[in-house]
Amino acid sequence: GAVVSQHPSWVICKSGTSVKIECRSLDFQATTMFWYRQFPKQSLMLMATSNEGSKATYEQGVEKDKFLINHASLTLSTLTVTSAHPEDSSFYICSASDREGSEKLFFGSGTQLSVL
Amino acid sequence: EDKVVQSPLSLVVHEGDTVTLNCSYEVTNFRSLLWYKQEKKAPTFLFMLTSSGIEKKSGRLSSILDKKELFSILNITATQTGDSAVYLCAVEETGGYQKVTFGIGTKLQVIP
C-alpha cells in the first residue's frame, strides 16, 4: 500500500529556532498534502492544505508566516515552524492524497516537537 | 515493520443496518488504539482504547480492543446516512517519543 514517510519522528529545540518537518510519499505522487496538529485524545486539527507547485491554503487561525509550507515536488512537502516557542510543542502529522478530491488519505507517523 | 490493517476496505449498507469495522495491528510498543471518522480533510476523534475487553460507547458507536489477539472492532448500530465516511484506525506506540501508525481506512456508505 501507499506509504508516507515523515521525518524527523522527534525533535527537541530551543525557543527561537526554526524546525523543518518533511513529509514524503514513497510510492505514489501526492498532488495534495495536508498538515495537522494533534493534541491527545482529540481530533486532528487541520493546519493547511498544500498542492504541488502552488501556495498552501491555511485554515483560519493558523499563521502562515509562522508555519511555512513548501510543496516543491509531487513527493515532498515540508512544514517549517519558524521561531518556535514552547506553545508550538505538539504532535504534527501529515497526510497525502494521490489525486484531487480523493477521500483516501495516507498518513505519516507524525513528528513530536518539543520546544524548550 | 509496524502494520495496521483495516477491513473491509469499503462497505455499502442500508439505513438501519448494523456494521462492524475491523482493525488488526502489529506494532512493537503498543500504547493505545484510536478510531477516527474522516468526512473531509481532518479526521474526527472517536475513541481511544488502551485496555482489553472494556467497551467504549458513544451513542450508536461502540468499540472494543483485544490486546491478546491484536485487534479492535468498531460497531455502528442503526446506521444513518450521516455515518457515511472513512473510518480510520490508528495505533500509538511508546518508546521515548510519540508515534502513530494509521490504517488505510474503511469507507462506509449508508444509503437510504
Side-chain angles (χ1 to χ4, degrees):
Chain A
V3 177
V4 171
S5 173
Q6 189 172 339
H7 177 81
S9 299
W10 190 20
V11 57
I12 302 173
C13 67
K14 289 184 178 178
S15 187
T17 59
S18 294
V19 175
K20 182 186 279 188
I21 303 170
E22 293 187 349
C23 183
R24 291 181 185 272
S25 57
L26 297 185
D27 53 0
F28 67 101
Q29 292 185 327
T31 54
T32 306
M33 287 187 172
F34 303 95
W35 287 96
Y36 312 86
R37 285 182 75 164
Q38 185 189 27
F39 296 101
K41 296 180 72 172
Q42 292 187 23
S43 305
L44 274 64
M45 188 196 84
L46 181 66
M47 298 174 66
T49 302
S50 93
N51 295 293
E52 185 266 337
S54 63
K55 286 185 180 179
T57 303
Y58 289 81
E59 297 298 304
Q60 194 171 9
V62 179
E63 299 174 58
K64 60 181 181 183
D65 294 330
K66 171 81 172 171
F67 299 99
L68 300 178
I69 291 172
N70 187 299
H71 194 160
S73 77
L74 282 171
T75 59
L76 175 64
S77 177
T78 61
L79 167 69
T80 301
V81 183
T82 61
S83 187
H85 290 284
E87 58 265 29
D88 298 322
S89 299
S90 186
F91 191 61
Y92 294 85
I93 302 179
C94 70
S95 73
S97 169
D98 60 357
R99 62 184 187 280
E100 198 173 343
S102 172
E103 294 168 313
K104 203 62 115 167
L105 296 179
F106 304 96
F107 288 82
S109 57
T111 298
Q112 184 177 334
L113 171 62
S114 299
V115 185
L116 305 178
Chain B
E1 185 183 316
D2 296 335
K3 288 193 301 185
V4 177
V5 179
Q6 291 186 248
S7 64
L9 293 178
S10 186
L11 194 55
V12 180
V13 300
H14 287 98
E15 268 192 317
D17 288 351
T18 294
V19 297
T20 298
L21 310 183
N22 304 292
C23 176
S24 65
Y25 62 91
E26 289 179 42
V27 298
T28 308
N29 299 302
F30 177 88
R31 179 162 76 180
S32 64
L33 186 142
L34 306 146
W35 283 99
Y36 295 90
K37 178 182 182 182
Q38 181 205 322
E39 294 174 274
K40 295 181 180 177
K41 298 177 185 177
T44 304
F45 173 81
L46 295 175
F47 298 110
M48 172 189 269
L49 304 159
T50 55
S51 302
S52 267
I54 299 174
E55 185 182 55
K56 294 247 176 142
K57 206 168 167 60
S58 176
R60 295 176 293 103
L61 277 66
S62 64
S63 184
I64 198 161
L65 173 68
D66 185 329
K67 288 168 76 173
K68 184 180 174 186
E69 300 297 329
L70 308 182
F71 78 91
S72 173
I73 59 172
L74 175 68
N75 275 321
I76 308 175
T77 59
T79 52
Q80 302 170 358
T81 54
D83 295 326
S84 298
V86 174
Y87 289 84
L88 292 163
C89 170
V91 174
E92 273 190 320
E93 294 180 69
T94 59
Y97 60 88
Q98 187 176 1
K99 179 185 174 186
V100 177
T101 304
F102 280 83
I104 62 172
T106 294
K107 181 178 177 181
L108 173 64
Q109 186 179 355
V110 182
I111 54 179

